[in-house]
Amino acid sequence: MDTQITLRVDGAAQPLTVDTRTTLLDALRERLRNTSPKKGCDHGQCGACTVLLDGRRVNSCLVLAVTVGDAEVTTSDGLAEGGRPHALHRSFVEHDAFQCGYCTPGQVCSAAGVLAEARAGWPSAVTADLAAGDVELSDAEIRERMSGNLCRCAAYANIVPAVAAVAESSGVRR
């Protein structure tokens, strides 16, 4: 059954008709031609399709497009400000935090989510004091929080410093 929806993607309203079983990833890539999120596993296990939904990280292959409603969908492309690369984009380049680049948009969106979570004081599985309310974004915290994003080229050694550099420059406690 087809349904008319409007997705707000990277700041622009995008009306489209989708089958109710269409994932957000397929709506973005196949219907809106937004190739920033990638289809890796299509099972929510690799993170290549990570986007921000109202600022929170989601695997877009697991979200039905019809459930998004009025939420703002932000892809890696949408993080750029005024045509200029986002600080995370620049840091990934400066730290050589990618090789083939396939997973990079998902990694960047996930990193943006990690920084927002840390600013909000949300603990992770490795946070020492769950009641502290202030999260120190150590390398272990970054690794844990980024663990849902796989890189088949093994650029992990450079991804953590890339995220850490942006955390430091944006006032997130390190």
Side-chain angles (χ1 to χ4, degrees):
M1 181 169 128
D2 287 348
T3 301
Q4 181 71 31
I5 63 172
T6 300
L7 293 177
R8 290 186 313 147
V9 181
D10 297 336
Q14 304 282 345
L16 66 153
T17 302
V18 296
D19 181 288
T20 56
R21 299 167 292 181
T22 302
T23 64
L24 178 57
L25 175 62
D26 288 340
L28 290 169
R29 291 187 59 80
E30 296 172 13
R31 303 300 310 282
L32 298 178
R33 302 289 179 223
N34 185 322
T35 58
S36 180
K38 304 296 190 265
K39 185 176 276 198
C41 67
D42 214 19
H43 290 79
Q45 297 175 348
C46 73
C49 66
T50 303
V51 298
L52 301 174
L53 195 58
D54 280 344
R56 296 187 66 180
R57 310 182 271 172
V58 298
N59 291 333
S60 61
C61 71
L62 298 180
V63 176
L64 294 176
V66 295
T67 67
V68 172
D70 291 332
E72 177 66 33
V73 178
T74 305
T75 69
S76 179
D77 291 345
L79 291 173
E81 300 157 359
R84 296 191 50 198
H86 185 274
L88 283 164
H89 294 131
R90 293 189 304 271
S91 190
F92 267 61
V93 170
E94 290 165 8
H95 288 88
D96 198 25
F98 61 93
Q99 288 183 28
C100 78
Y102 192 81
C103 70
T104 305
Q107 297 273 4
V108 167
C109 279
S110 191
V114 164
L115 296 175
E117 292 164 10
R119 278 188 208 99
W122 294 355
S124 78
V126 299
T127 303
D129 183 359
L130 299 179
D134 189 22
V135 174
E136 181 180 324
L137 203 56
S138 65
D139 286 357
E141 279 282 348
I142 293 170
R143 275 189 215 92
E144 169 62 25
R145 291 170 186 263
M146 293 292 293
S147 66
N149 291 78
L150 304 179
C151 174
R152 293 184 176 109
C153 301
Y156 300 114
N158 297 341
I159 291 172
V160 172
V163 176
V166 176
E168 290 170 5
S169 69
S170 65
V172 174
R173 189 168 160 234
R174 282 271 304 146

